[in-house]
Amino acid sequence: MRLDLSLFNSKARSLLGLDISSSAVKMVELSGAGHNEYRVERYVIEVLPKDAVVDGIIADVDAVQSGVRSAWKRMGTSVRNVAMALPAAAVISKKIIVQSGLRDDELDDFVTAEAGQHVPFAIDEINLDYQIIGPSASSPGELEVLLVASKKDRVEDRLAIADAVGLKTVVMDVESYAALSAFELVSRQLPYSSGAVVTLLDIGTNAMRLTALRDDTPVYVKEQAFGGGILTQDIARRYGMSYGEAEAAKRSNSLPDDYETELLPQFSDNLALEVARALQFFFTSTQFNKVDHIVLAGGGAAIDGIDKLVAARTQVNTIIANPFAGMMLSDKVRANNLQADAPSLMNACGLALRRFDPS
Ligand SMILES: Nc1ncnc2c1ncn2[C@@H]1O[C@H](COP(=O)(O)OP(=O)(O)OP(=O)(O)O)[C@@H](O)[C@H]1O
Ligand SMILES: [Mg+2]
């Protein structure tokens, strides 16, 4: 069997990173600017109505479709190729060992048979893809292959949305992989030390995701229910607004003074406390007992001074993720705006980087 849509490979010359997240449609376009150098051409964050996307499931197709349409219009680009991603929960990946020297069709058959054993969905409900990682370290003459199975319906709803808006999906990635490509650009900004343990905290709308990495390789992932949506709810309640109004006012900094003196500090303290708890949980459930750096990402990292609060609470060096640091900017991109939006653009940035994949 051969796949219609490769999760991995793409020779697309130009493409947009398109992240359909809980709070917004995010698009990023990067171009190459010399050896290993990138330029940010343009980006857009188009806020979605509450619950249009829930736990990575597109609940309101019309709302998401019009969100993607207006995001693309606002981009003002001619590029229609997009790289999108599935939430990790819609994907099962597994490393398998395959004898080397198989023909392509033999490898296809072998992988399909293996998938039947490892994937708890019917084979006709999934898209199957694989990537050869390289020779197996433990058994010579064999290859390590990464098998990835994704739920077809989750792939198809995303494809349909892009299609309806006139965009062409050339890459379907996994959100956590995309985030890691962006993380690599951030981790270079940290002082290098071999064996360093870094925790990436993505503080999104309804969820906070902790990924611990040693030497840039994930060793632990944990998600908990905490995110910026809590603050938006508090704003809505306090000022008698709808959720949508509260979200807009929060993002445009147009709230009464007591927001900055009461609501926001309270939320920020809770956020720092949640981060400290998540670290404790990481320590108690693994053999790790310290981390060298914390990288804050997601909209929660856009709060002024949150890095200092988290550092004070955890006693760990804390930085705010900016995967675009050091990139050139086109004259359509304002450095200040990008700096503030960067932490919530990790997935979109990682997807935009897929343009430069060797293939
Ligand atoms: N400048 C800001 N100050 C405070 N909060 C902000 C700011 N910008 C965005 N947020 C909040 O961050 C949250 C959105 O973050 P983000 O864009 O990372 O989430 P998401 O990717 O949509 O969610 P998820 O990853 O859970 O799907 C929202 O609650 C939003 O209100
Ligand atoms: Mg997100």
Side-chain angles (χ1 to χ4, degrees):
M1 96 180 224
R2 210 58 213 158
L3 306 153
D4 311 338
L5 176 79
S6 170
L7 277 156
F8 290 109
N9 188 39
S10 140
K11 287 194 172 158
R13 286 279 53 95
S14 55
L15 61 77
L16 310 172
L18 165 56
D19 175 23
I20 299 176
S21 76
S22 316
S23 71
V25 170
K26 303 165 192 176
M27 270 187 200
V28 170
E29 183 179 350
L30 300 177
S31 63
H35 180 66
N36 268 334
E37 301 267 355
Y38 307 112
R39 193 165 95 128
V40 187
E41 291 298 332
R42 32 175 91 74
Y43 77 93
V44 155
I45 297 176
E46 178 76 26
V47 175
L48 289 171
K50 181 173 171 7
D51 296 337
V53 177
V54 182
D55 291 335
I57 294 173
I58 295 176
D60 184 342
V61 174
D62 290 342
V64 174
Q65 207 166 290
S66 69
V68 174
R69 184 177 289 116
S70 37
W72 189 77
K73 281 198 179 134
R74 281 175 55 204
M75 285 286 277
T77 180
S78 58
V79 178
R80 288 179 179 272
N81 288 342
V82 295
M84 282 197 275
L86 296 170
V91 175
I92 289 173
S93 58
K94 172 117 191 121
K95 237 185 247 176
I96 58 172
I97 301 289
V98 178
Q99 129 198 20
S100 46
L102 293 183
R103 290 193 317 266
D104 279 0
D105 59 321
E106 289 171 334
L107 188 57
D108 283 352
D109 289 346
F110 185 82
V111 168
T112 308
E114 281 287 295
Q117 294 183 27
H118 294 298
V119 178
F121 313 126
I123 201 88
D124 57 351
E125 286 173 22
I126 61 168
N127 286 319
L128 195 58
D129 200 357
Y130 60 85
Q131 184 181 46
I132 296 171
I133 302 171
S136 159
S138 49
S139 36
E142 297 189 307
L143 291 176
E144 273 191 2
V145 173
L146 183 64
L147 175 89
V148 178
S150 49
K151 296 282 291 274
K152 246 183 207 163
D153 50 349
R154 306 292 293 279
V155 175
E156 278 159 10
D157 60 1
R158 280 167 169 72
L159 292 180
I161 282 173
D163 203 48
V165 176
L167 302 178
K168 182 166 183 258
T169 310
V170 293
V171 174
M172 187 64 79
D173 204 333
V174 181
E175 284 174 3
S176 48
Y177 298 175
L180 287 183
S181 329
F183 173 80
E184 275 179 32
L185 298 182
V186 177
S187 103
R188 285 184 205 161
Q189 301 160 33
L190 293 166
Y192 177 79
S193 65
S194 155
V197 179
V198 180
T199 48
L200 170 65
L201 278 135
D202 175 7
I203 302 138
T205 307
N206 302 312
M208 178 171 112
R209 293 165 212 90
L210 182 152
T211 309
L213 305 102
R214 184 171 45 196
D215 291 329
D216 285 355
T217 303
V219 291
Y220 173 89
V221 181
K222 173 88 185 164
E223 187 165 305
Q224 68 192 78
F226 179 85
I230 295 173
L231 178 57
T232 308
Q233 298 278 17
D234 288 347
I235 294 169
R237 205 174 304 121
R238 176 123 170 186
Y239 304 113
M241 299 173 170
S242 71
Y243 186 93
E245 289 164 347
E247 180 69 17
K250 178 186 178 188
R251 285 179 185 257
S252 64
N253 272 319
S254 55
L255 283 161
D257 287 347
D258 59 349
Y259 167 69
E260 299 247 343
T261 54
E262 287 176 44
L263 281 194
L264 186 59
Q266 214 173 72
F267 176 78
S268 305
D269 282 341
N270 284 340
L271 194 162
L273 191 63
E274 288 295 331
V275 172
R277 283 197 185 129
L279 281 186
Q280 279 312 319
F281 200 79
F282 165 52
F283 296 150
T284 55
S285 36
T286 63
Q287 84 273 24
F288 293 91
N289 50 29
K290 75 169 189 54
V291 301
D292 298 284
H293 307 281
I294 293 173
V295 174
L296 297 178
I303 297 170
D304 235 11
I306 196 69
D307 47 345
K308 297 193 181 59
L309 272 179
V310 169
R313 172 68 77 175
T314 60
Q315 297 298 307
V316 177
N317 176 46
T318 303
I319 67 163
I320 294 181
N322 182 357
F324 307 105
M327 289 191 195
M328 274 161 264
L329 308 183
S330 81
D331 51 17
K332 290 173 229 65
V333 176
R334 301 261 290 277
N336 283 347
N337 293 349
L338 181 61
Q339 170 134 11
D341 291 330
S344 59
L345 293 171
M346 294 284 280
N347 292 357
C349 173
L351 291 170
L353 285 167
R354 297 299 305 269
R355 173 177 183 178
F356 308 102
D357 278 1
S359 48

